[in-house]
Amino acid sequence: MEREFYSDFPLVLNYVGRLVDDIDGAVSITCAAFRQVGDSLRHRPTREGLRRADVFRAATELSRQALKPRRWFRRHRATQMSLEGFPQAEARRALRRDTVQRALTALPFEARAMVLLRDFVKLSYEELSDVVDIAPRKLEHALDRSRAELGEIYDYIKF
């Protein structure tokens, strides 16, 4: 189990960090997800290994619990982005990465989880349907809608 933990931890941490948009909170959520799955393995009579779908399901549920409903009317301080050196390729990549993260954050939680698990983590449709509890046929349509919504949001906020 330790080998599976060490091989999957960075991937799950990156997924949770993008899902909750807070890398500091993502560490504790990821550790709690592995702990939860490890505890459930101890109580199972069979000696099966750690399944990725179980870890991602636990991480998704813990992330959902960690995210509190956001107030629509709360004002956030706008962070100033320095466009100095913008024509450079590294600056363009950083700006694109930031824009994609902002577009992901604007998606509803379920849509964000589906897009990240399928396109970033590369889970199969069967594993993804286990994680988000949606039938595989409905999952394809929901994922297509989520990707289309992400594209619309990205086009709206990019400059």
Side-chain angles (χ1 to χ4, degrees), residues 2-20:
E2 279 185 36
R3 183 174 14 152
E4 294 159 339
F5 171 83
Y6 287 118
S7 66
D8 287 341
F9 188 82
L11 185 63
V12 176
L13 176 64
N14 205 337
Y15 162 69
V16 172
R18 292 177 187 278
L19 190 61
V20 298

Side-chain angles (χ1 to χ4, degrees), residues 122-159:
K122 306 287 188 211
L123 288 183
S124 67
Y125 283 109
E126 292 80 26
E127 289 176 317
L128 183 56
S129 68
D130 283 346
V131 173
V132 294
D133 283 336
I134 297 177
R137 188 170 252 188
K138 286 184 179 179
L139 178 69
E140 291 180 25
H141 296 294
L143 193 56
D144 288 340
R145 284 192 307 270
S146 299
R147 287 177 180 146
E149 187 176 357
L150 177 65
E152 288 175 12
I153 293 170
Y154 181 82
D155 287 340
Y156 180 75
I157 63 176
K158 75 177 181 181
F159 59 90

Side-chain angles (χ1 to χ4, degrees), residues 73-89:
F73 299 108
R74 183 186 305 170
R75 290 184 181 228
H76 296 285
R77 291 184 182 166
T79 57
Q80 294 292 326
M81 182 180 300
S82 172
L83 295 180
E84 183 178 325
F86 183 72
Q88 296 174 351

